[in-house]
Structures are given as structure tokens and as C-alpha cells.
Amino acid sequence: MTATHVTLREVALRDGLQIEEPIPTEAKVELLEAIAATGVTEVEATAFVSPSKVPALADAPDFAAELARFPDIAFSALVASPNGARRALDAGLNSIEYVVSAADAHSRANVGRDSAAATAAIPEIAAIAHDANATVEVIIATAWDCPFDGPTPAERVLRIVDAAVESGADRIAVADTIGTTTPGRVTALLDRVRPAIGGLPLGCHFHNTRGTGLASAYAAVLAGVNRLDASVGGVGGCPFAPGASGNIATEDLVYMLRDSGIAVDVDLERAIAAARIAQRLIGRTLPSALLRAGDRLLR
Amino acid sequence: MTATHVTLREVALRDGLQIEEPIPTEAKVELLEAIAATGVTEVEATAFVSPSKVPALADAPDFAAELARFPDIAFSALVASPNGARRALDAGLNSIEYVVSAADAHSRANVGRDSAAATAAIPEIAAIAHDANATVEVIIATAWDCPFDGPTPAERVLRIVDAAVESGADRIAVADTIGTTTPGRVTALLDRVRPAIGGLPLGCHFHNTRGTGLASAYAAVLAGVNRLDASVGGVGGCPFAPGASGNIATEDLVYMLRDSGIAVDVDLERAIAAARIAQRLIGRTLPSALLRAGDRLLR
């Protein structure tokens, strides 16, 4: 049941940058070039959301125009509404992620409506994507805990899973938005989610806020999950989730997986190089462990 | 097979402090008082090794004299030779840890002799301990990797395990001295070690140098290991192993285990408080995640 190969989605450009001071589009292209050099096959490029709420991603259409130069990468963009989905497709994306918070308080803070209302928009967004021959992934945020509501009942997650499956979503992901979950609870939730998704690809998104991100990722892999989000340098956080900080670092995840005998199509040294560029562009020390310690000394 | 209860051994006072500038014995007592308040039942107090090589622990006899004030804690001290074992017992310890490096180069750097020579001293040290009605744990250092020799063949670990068992050692532990191992290799080595130890208690010691410490600890727990070393704040490293840094942090480990449904007799808030004291005494930011992020926000 353990996954033997993991598809890593690089999220530094969206989840990584969204909480930061805006950096120029050209700087994002520089970072994307370094990311592309790692060999990663999937990249979350940006989000088509309110420019006033997420100014760091206000250049989404301009940045999207640069993506055609990287034909080997499958790009996606996050959206939070039907309008955002249309904007992403108009900008040339052919893969969108619609994020729905399982917890009402985070949902309201994030998109101004509760989880049920956000869930109700899944069919419309799926139809918008499919009408444009694009795919849609439903990402379930605060799948384990909400910074306001506390632990999220699994039933709240499963309601969104059911709506996604019924709406013909192409992929599903569960996200530990605030970096509080741990491997035991990862296993427990995945045991509930997996039977509900039929044959759909299932991904996980972890933050390392409490140091448990890699352990949770490993538990997910043991449970058969073969799609994981990570960001070079470990940048990232949710501006509407107090206490969130740091996606799991791409290079740390690659190190752990490969050393554990699980294949992942990302070059480790180039991921560390990309993390170094992210650190320079963002201008502060990033939390990645490999960025500090390097790969194992003798190989 | 997964352990349902973990005994945590607090190693901040030995492995944590040994690489640091020496702090006064009174400061160690202050830290120990905070550690005792966490409810932890086992504490590695100090090491009886060369004061010139490890000046931070040169006060071992003086510090050992303070331990009787903490009758609820089972204290141990690390030794690297028969002479060190005698000094520890003379100082009142009734539990010693004899560390043997599985890799020759680290062994020579650490104690000036190769792994076979260090292994050959196990019977004498076990006899010294048992003659004094004390117990002896054999800790196998560089059990996965050596900073000089690279990956450690499992056979090197198993030779030490066999010698320990034959000598009547009371406990065995395997240590990732330089923080390079990952959960897959933890599982693989434990699969080899466990059948060789009979019914002896088996512990693991991980560093978080490459961010994988908690993931490795979780893999060990899944493999049935119920004894783990950790240090408040994540202090610690080996001065003779370049690149080593940071034990796994007690508070991060406790958070992960308890949240995963695995019992551990350490109070989390008090562990964070002890980490804060360690940070003040050492005078630099410690790598613990919980020390920065706190416990989960709503509980």
C-alpha cells in the first residue's frame, strides 16, 4: 500500500509567496527557471483571487503569460470562486485548484462564506473547467484543524469529498493549512477519505509549523498517497490562518523520500539551489533544513 | 507492533550541552529543575569523559552530586571507557551508557580507537556496572551513517548488538549521530536489529539535522520502539561529527506522539517552558518548532 513513487507539486510560487511582500514578476520567473531545472513535473503557479487580499499574487495574469516557456511542466492555479476559475482559464491555465475550507470559521475568513456555501460552488466551478477542457482539483483546507474552530470533524471533510466526486472533480487533496496535524491523525483521516474518492488521485499538503510536516508526509506515503505538495526553502503560509508558517521544504521532502527508497522526480541539489534563490528573493532565512545542513556529507 | 507508550529520555543536559560553551553547574541544576517538572522519568545527566575533550561536561562529579534531590528520575551518564564507567559509578550513578561507534572513522575521532576495539571493552564495562549493582546500556553511534566513512553497513551494528547481548547489557540503543537517516532506513535497520536483541529494551536516538528526525522517530515507533531520546529545545550535537546539530526536540516529539495517540509521560507546556530556559541559558535561538509556534492554538 505504501507509495513507491511520489509526484511532488512545487507550490513555492503560490502558497510560498502569497504571505510575503510582493516580489516582481521577473523575480518569480527567475525562481520558476530554477524550479524547472529541478525536473519537477507539476507546479502551482499562482492564484486568481482578490488582488487586494493577496497582493503578492496580483500579477497572476502577467505571470501566467510566462508559463508557455516551460512546456514540460503541468501548471495549475488556485481559485476561490467561479469568477476566479474563469480568470485562470482566460489566462491560459488548463488546470485549476478550487480550495474549500472544511471549517466554517476559516472558510469565512478566507472567502467570506461558510464551508457549505463554498462546497455548493464545486459543481459550477467543475463545469467551468471542464467546458474549457481544463481539469479541476478540489483542495480541502483545514482538513485536520482550524485556527478558529479547533479540530475539524472528519465528516466535514467527507462532505466536501462527496461533493467533489459527484461534480466530476479530477483530483482531490487534503491540506493541513496550519501545520498542526501529526502522522497518527493523517493515517486516521486518510482511512476515512480514501474509500470515498473512488479512483481519483489523492494528494496531501502539509506545513511544518510544528516540526511534524515530514512525519505527516511519510504517514501519507505509507497510506498510499503519491501526490505531495512542497515548496523550495519551505516558504509558505496562509495569511488568513494565524500561526501558519512554512510548507514542508521540497529539498527536505525529496531527501527523506529518496533516502527511504521512494522515487520522486526532483533533483536534490537543484532543489537546494532553487531554495537558495527563493531565500535571496524573499530576503530572509528560510526554514528548510537541507538549505542549512546540505545533503549527506559523503554523497 | 506500533508502540502505544513511549518512554522519553531527556538528553539536553548531556548530548544537548556537550557541544556548547560550558555553563555553570548551577545553571544545569536550574535546567534540571525545569526538566523534572515535565514529569519525565529518565534523564541522561552528564558524561564521564575527557574534560579536555568535552569541557562543557567537566563538572560531571559535581553535577552528579545534585541528582539525589530528584528521586523520581532515573538518571544515567554516558561513558566511553572502563575508567569513565568507574568514575560514573563512584559519583553515584547507577545507570551508565557505553557508547560504541559502528563506524571506524567516527570511533577513532570520538575515542581514539576503532569500532572493534571499542566493542571489545563492552564485557569489562558491563562487569564494572553489574559489580556495582548498576545497569549498562550500549548505545551504538553512527548506526546509519558516519560523517567520514559514509553509510554504515548493518553488519557493523549487529556485531555490536551481539557483543552487548553476550555481555549481559541491560538495554541497547541505536543512534543517528549526524542526523542523516530517514524513516525508510530506520525501518530497515530495526528489522535487522530487533531479532538480534532477545527481549532487551531497545531505544532510538535521532537528530533533526536534515529535518527528518521526527519522521524517523515515528518510523521507529511504528516498528515497536518505545524508548526515544530527545532534548528540550532541540539542543545538541556531537563535537566530533561535523554537520551534526540538534537532537529532536522533546516538545516537538511529545506533541507528535500524543497527537498521534501514543502516550508519553511528559507535560507539553512544561517541556516548552524548560526549552525556554535552555534557550536562555545557552543564549541562542534553539531549533525547536513548538518553542516558536506553540502548542495547537485552541487547546
Side-chain angles (χ1 to χ4, degrees):
Chain A
M1 178 148 180
T2 301
T4 56
H5 181 280
V6 164
T7 298
L8 188 152
R9 177 166 57 188
E10 174 57 54
V11 300
L13 291 158
R14 197 283 301 178
D15 201 20
L17 294 180
Q18 72 172 9
I19 200 173
E20 304 292 337
E21 287 294 307
I23 66 172
T25 306
E26 303 76 56
K28 294 181 186 179
V29 172
E30 180 188 356
L31 180 56
L32 175 53
E33 284 169 347
I35 286 169
T38 69
V40 72
T41 55
E42 298 195 16
V43 170
E44 182 185 60
T46 186
F48 289 83
V49 293
S50 162
S52 63
K53 286 181 82 174
V54 188
L57 304 180
D59 67 347
D62 291 339
F63 187 57
E66 304 283 344
L67 304 182
R69 292 171 38 209
F70 303 89
D72 296 336
I73 294 176
F75 289 102
S76 58
L78 185 141
V79 305
S81 68
N83 184 47
R86 288 188 201 95
R87 288 171 56 215
L89 298 168
D90 288 347
L93 273 297
N94 59 18
S95 176
I96 61 173
E97 306 156 12
Y98 177 51
V99 61
V100 180
S101 286
D104 284 330
H106 180 264
S107 186
R108 282 191 291 264
N110 207 16
V111 294
R113 54 191 171 173
D114 67 14
S115 180
T119 303
I122 294 176
E124 182 182 356
I125 289 172
I128 291 168
H130 293 154
D131 287 349
N133 289 316
T135 62
V136 61
E137 171 170 332
V138 173
I139 299 179
I140 304 170
T142 58
W144 283 275
D145 295 305
C146 170
F148 314 108
D149 288 343
T152 304
E155 291 68 26
R156 286 189 153 266
V157 175
L158 294 170
R159 279 203 290 269
I160 302 169
V161 168
D162 290 346
V165 171
E166 286 166 18
S167 302
D170 300 282
R171 297 177 302 280
I172 291 175
V174 284
D176 178 28
T177 307
I178 57 171
T180 51
T181 197
T182 56
R185 289 201 294 144
V186 169
T187 306
L189 184 63
L190 292 175
D191 283 350
R192 301 285 303 274
V193 167
R194 191 168 273 292
I197 57 167
L200 288 186
L202 175 64
C204 283
H205 176 104
F206 297 112
H207 285 242
N208 199 35
T209 315
R210 284 160 186 81
T212 58
L214 286 187
S216 291
Y218 191 70
V221 169
L222 289 182
V225 167
N226 62 2
R227 299 177 55 80
L228 292 170
D229 287 354
S231 70
V232 291
V235 287
C238 175
F240 311 112
S245 81
N247 288 99
I248 55 174
T250 296
E251 55 275 22
D252 296 355
L253 178 63
V254 169
Y255 178 86
M256 179 184 79
L257 292 176
R258 192 163 297 153
D259 195 66
S260 289
I262 297 153
V264 54
D265 298 326
V266 176
D267 183 89
L268 182 51
E269 287 305 322
R270 288 180 176 175
I272 294 173
R276 208 170 285 126
I277 289 171
Q279 184 164 267
R280 172 169 55 77
L281 294 174
I282 290 173
R284 60 179 170 79
T285 302
L286 295 179
S288 155
L290 266 285
L291 193 54
R292 172 176 44 74
D295 191 4
R296 202 182 310 165
L297 292 172
L298 292 181
R299 57 175 193 176
Chain B
M1 179 148 180
T2 301
T4 55
H5 181 280
V6 165
T7 298
L8 189 152
R9 175 165 60 188
E10 174 58 53
V11 301
L13 290 158
R14 197 283 301 177
D15 201 20
L17 293 180
Q18 73 172 8
I19 200 174
E20 303 292 337
E21 288 294 306
I23 65 172
T25 306
E26 304 75 54
K28 294 180 184 179
V29 172
E30 180 187 356
L31 180 56
L32 175 53
E33 284 169 347
I35 286 169
T38 68
V40 70
T41 56
E42 298 196 16
V43 170
E44 182 184 58
T46 186
F48 289 83
V49 293
S50 162
S52 62
K53 287 182 81 174
V54 188
L57 304 180
D59 66 346
D62 292 339
F63 187 56
E66 303 284 343
L67 304 182
R69 292 171 38 209
F70 302 88
D72 296 335
I73 295 176
F75 289 102
S76 58
L78 185 141
V79 305
S81 68
N83 185 46
R86 289 187 200 95
R87 288 171 56 218
L89 298 167
D90 287 348
L93 273 296
N94 59 18
S95 175
I96 60 174
E97 306 157 12
Y98 176 52
V99 62
V100 180
S101 287
D104 283 330
H106 180 264
S107 186
R108 282 190 291 263
N110 207 16
V111 296
R113 55 191 170 175
D114 67 15
S115 180
T119 303
I122 294 175
E124 182 182 356
I125 289 173
I128 291 168
H130 292 154
D131 287 350
N133 289 316
T135 63
V136 61
E137 170 169 331
V138 173
I139 298 180
I140 304 170
T142 59
W144 283 274
D145 295 305
C146 170
F148 315 108
D149 288 344
T152 304
E155 290 69 27
R156 287 189 154 267
V157 175
L158 293 171
R159 279 202 289 270
I160 303 169
V161 168
D162 290 345
V165 171
E166 286 167 19
S167 301
D170 299 281
R171 295 176 302 281
I172 290 175
V174 284
D176 178 28
T177 308
I178 58 171
T180 52
T181 198
T182 56
R185 290 201 293 144
V186 169
T187 305
L189 184 62
L190 292 175
D191 283 350
R192 300 286 302 274
V193 167
R194 190 167 275 291
I197 58 168
L200 287 186
L202 175 64
C204 283
H205 176 103
F206 297 112
H207 285 242
N208 199 35
T209 315
R210 284 159 187 83
T212 58
L214 285 188
S216 290
Y218 191 70
V221 169
L222 289 182
V225 167
N226 62 2
R227 299 177 55 80
L228 292 170
D229 287 354
S231 71
V232 291
V235 288
C238 175
F240 312 114
S245 80
N247 288 100
I248 54 174
T250 296
E251 54 276 22
D252 296 354
L253 178 63
V254 169
Y255 178 87
M256 179 185 78
L257 292 176
R258 192 163 296 153
D259 195 65
S260 288
I262 297 153
V264 54
D265 297 328
V266 176
D267 183 89
L268 183 51
E269 288 305 322
R270 288 179 176 176
I272 294 173
R276 208 169 285 125
I277 289 171
Q279 183 163 269
R280 171 169 55 76
L281 294 174
I282 291 172
R284 60 177 171 81
T285 301
L286 296 179
S288 155
L290 266 284
L291 193 53
R292 172 175 45 76
D295 191 3
R296 201 183 311 165
L297 291 172
L298 293 181
R299 54 173 195 178

